[in-house]
Amino acid sequence: MDEDQSNGGFLEMGKADRSVWLMKCPVVVAKSWKSQVASSSGSQPVAKVVLSLDPLESEDPSSLQFTMEMAGSETGRIPKSYSLNMFKDFVPMCVFSETSQGSVAMEGKVEHKFDMKPHEENIEEYGRLCRERTNKSMIKNRQIQVIDNDRGVHMRPMPGMIGLISSNPKDKKKTTPVKQSDVKRTRRDRGELEDIMFKLFERQPNWALKQLVQETDQPAQFLKEILNELCVYNKRGTNQGTYELKPEYKKSVEDTGAE
């Protein structure tokens, strides 16, 4: 309602019955036309449409062929010839215009809808343009800035900063220490880890899994795989909950120690 009041509540309908063509054009073509209109002093044509038909089948709408030729001489690498694919099955639409003074007018009804497509001889060059445009859009302009104060004082949250650290000592929460099990450990080579395990069992015959994780700094699951091959798990007795070498490995360790 506000828009109707701003232009007096009138809609100019003098061109309401005029037939209008709606065309979907590539971005590069639209930019070329826009630059030509901005650079030209008068109203110069930007393209021309050529209608081809078969005289023997003039009554058949499918025999009509529409092509478009770019009128500008400085089109650069943009293809100059295009095919216009016509559609009649679309939602009814009308075209409206509005002047800088706010008056609104109906310019006509959309009778045909067209999609522009470069001719086959230009399709390769057009595809190259599209790829270049896509690659340019993917380039991120990043800047590297040298920080004079390399001690990081300006990047450190200071007391009283909103949303970071409360200035009230009562609101401060104790930092939760990182559990040892949450630390990511890198697996060693299997053969190297087995040698380390044999040396540990030379030092003492029984080890708990937690002790071996601390000694080897290896993931617990990876250690379990090797322990299941090399050791026996004591489920009861004085050494309950610990691992010890299997008899065949105990012998090899004792022989190595004797040597």
Side-chain angles (χ1 to χ4, degrees):
M1 294 296 293
D2 295 339
E3 294 180 359
D4 293 340
Q5 293 177 359
S6 64
N7 55 32
F10 293 101
L11 177 63
E12 177 61 42
M13 300 289 292
K15 303 177 182 178
D17 295 331
R18 185 173 63 169
S19 297
V20 179
W21 290 2
L22 178 65
M23 184 178 64
K24 181 181 178 182
C25 64
V27 178
V28 290
V29 176
K31 289 182 177 180
S32 175
W33 285 348
K34 188 175 181 179
S35 62
Q36 289 182 45
V37 172
S39 60
S40 61
S41 56
S43 57
Q44 299 293 330
V46 293
K48 66 177 180 179
V49 177
V50 179
L51 172 60
S52 304
L53 57 89
D54 187 351
L56 300 178
E57 299 180 1
S58 58
E59 300 297 330
D60 186 7
S62 61
S63 64
L64 300 178
Q65 293 185 356
F66 295 88
T67 57
M68 176 175 285
E69 300 288 337
M70 300 283 286
S73 58
E74 298 180 358
T75 57
R77 297 170 57 190
I78 301 174
K80 298 191 66 174
S81 301
Y82 295 86
S83 300
L84 300 182
N85 299 324
M86 184 176 65
F87 300 93
K88 284 191 175 182
D89 186 15
F90 56 88
V91 178
M93 291 178 285
C94 298
V95 179
F96 297 88
S97 64
E98 183 179 4
T99 63
S100 58
Q101 289 78 20
S103 60
V104 181
M106 185 172 176
E107 298 294 337
K109 297 180 180 179
V110 177
E111 181 181 2
H112 299 301
K113 182 177 179 293
F114 294 89
D115 285 345
M116 288 182 65
K117 179 182 177 182
H119 277 171
E120 294 183 359
E121 60 268 18
N122 299 323
I123 196 70
E124 185 176 351
E125 181 64 23
Y126 179 72
R128 190 178 296 109
L129 285 173
C130 293
R131 287 192 296 271
E132 290 179 1
R133 185 180 62 191
T134 303
N135 293 334
K136 287 181 181 179
S137 65
M138 295 174 64
I139 297 175
K140 297 180 180 180
N141 296 325
R142 298 178 179 177
Q143 296 181 352
I144 299 176
Q145 184 177 359
V146 179
I147 300 176
D148 296 333
N149 186 354
D150 58 356
R151 292 178 295 175
V153 177
H154 299 294
M155 295 183 292
R156 187 183 308 159
M158 302 301 292
M161 294 180 70
I162 299 174
L164 294 177
I165 299 177
S166 174
S167 57
N168 189 354
K170 295 181 180 180
D171 297 337
K172 292 183 179 179
K173 296 181 180 180
K174 295 181 179 179
T175 56
T176 305
V178 180
K179 295 181 180 179
Q180 191 69 17
S181 58
D182 296 337
V183 179
K184 292 185 178 180
R185 297 180 171 88
T186 305
R187 290 190 176 192
R188 290 178 178 268
D189 179 70
R190 195 179 189 89
E192 181 183 355
L193 182 58
E194 288 181 358
D195 294 339
I196 295 174
M197 298 286 285
F198 284 132
K199 290 180 181 179
L200 290 174
F201 280 101
E202 285 181 17
R203 193 197 308 173
Q204 66 182 49
N206 296 89
W207 289 88
L209 178 62
K210 187 176 180 180
Q211 294 175 323
L212 291 172
V213 170
Q214 294 176 350
E215 289 285 339
T216 60
D217 193 27
Q218 292 295 292
Q221 188 62 35
F222 184 43
L223 276 176
K224 283 183 179 179
E225 294 177 7
I226 296 180
L227 288 171
N228 291 335
E229 296 180 5
L230 304 181
C231 302
V232 177
Y233 182 70
N234 297 311
K235 296 182 179 180
R236 59 180 63 87
T238 56
N239 296 321
Q240 182 180 1
T242 62
Y243 288 89
E244 64 179 66
L245 287 175
K246 293 180 179 179
E248 58 267 27
Y249 293 115
K250 275 185 180 180
K251 185 177 179 181
S252 61
V253 171
E254 291 173 358
D255 295 343
T256 306
E259 292 177 359

